[in-house]
Amino acid sequence: MNPVLKVIYGRKSIRSYENKNIPEDIKDEIIKASIKAPTAGNMMLYSIIEVADQSKKDTLAKTCDDQPFIAKAPLVLLFLADYQRWYDYFIYSEVPELCNRMNIKIRRPQEGDLFLACSDAIIAAQNAAIAAESLGLGSCYIGDIMENYETHRKLFNLPQYVFPIVLLCFGYPTRKQKNREQASRFDKQLIVFKDKYKRLNKKEFNNMQKNLEEKVVKVNHFLPGAQNIGQHIFLRKFNADFSKEMTRSVRAILQNWLHE
Ligand SMILES: Cc1cc2nc3c(=O)[nH]c(=O)nc-3n(C[C@H](O)[C@H](O)[C@H](O)COP(=O)(O)O)c2cc1C
């Protein structure tokens, strides 16, 4: 198999790391790969913060839905959707004066700009995850970085047009993690369509349920009250406190981003 596909197919999220530092040249390689990722208009609408301070890692381990492994990760990278740099540069480049001359109303970063910047940041993050995997490291995304905005804003000194979109933890996988089975995926026909979107029918939902059952029932039991996998996932993920906190926090970020 070609080596790129081998890395992609072999990857799994790693949440437990050997107590071993990551050499600087390996870190540099991961960052280099990250910033080689495609980026909208070649504008690099993202920033990356290496969270090296142990007390900050400890805080994240709590604020990102109580996930202690974050504090133990030898490398933690925070990916920020970032329009602040370009907006500041526009001001520095006297764009307001240009707008005045041309009788244009100056535009601030808006929703579309935010989504584009999020795409940039996430694509850069995935390059880092794949590069790390190819170098023998494991990684795990932390989506919960979107929670507790007020705390994270202070912790990392985030200005208005910066949105903390994903956190990535890296480290050398423990033997147990290395040998752990990979997570399964839904069958391709549930996910990939031709030419137009397709809503799933009963037969396809049964197929989806089979996939979920394989994934969930083997490891966990249903949560109290749940009678099937759909109900279990609803309670465990969609309706969980962390999801509600994420929505509250994202609304606060948006409010700040869109504030004129
Ligand atoms: C956007 C995003 C957010 C995630 N957030 C978390 C997280 O907060 N904690 C965690 O342990 N795993 C997190 N993961 C990892 C997923 O749980 C993992 O990718 C999924 O279960 C599939 O397993 P695999 O990566 O081993 O194939 C996240 C993944 C993505 C893409």
Side-chain angles (χ1 to χ4, degrees), residues 11-15 64-65 67 69-70 122 139-146 165-167 180-185 215 237:
R11 189 211 57 83
K12 59 192 167 199
S13 293
I14 298 294
R15 301 178 178 87
C64 296
D65 195 34
Q67 301 192 78
F69 75 89
I70 298 171
I122 295 166
S139 67
C140 187
Y141 278 93
I142 305 292
D144 298 285
I145 191 65
M146 283 186 274
I165 186 71
V166 282
L167 190 75
R180 182 174 60 77
E181 244 181 74
Q182 281 185 310
S184 64
R185 293 291 191 265
K215 197 169 126 196
K237 301 278 184 193

Side-chain angles (χ1 to χ4, degrees), residues 26-42:
I26 300 282
K27 275 192 208 172
D28 287 348
E29 211 69 80
I30 292 170
I31 300 284
K32 222 166 96 187
S34 190
I35 64 182
K36 278 296 278 182
T39 152
N42 206 8

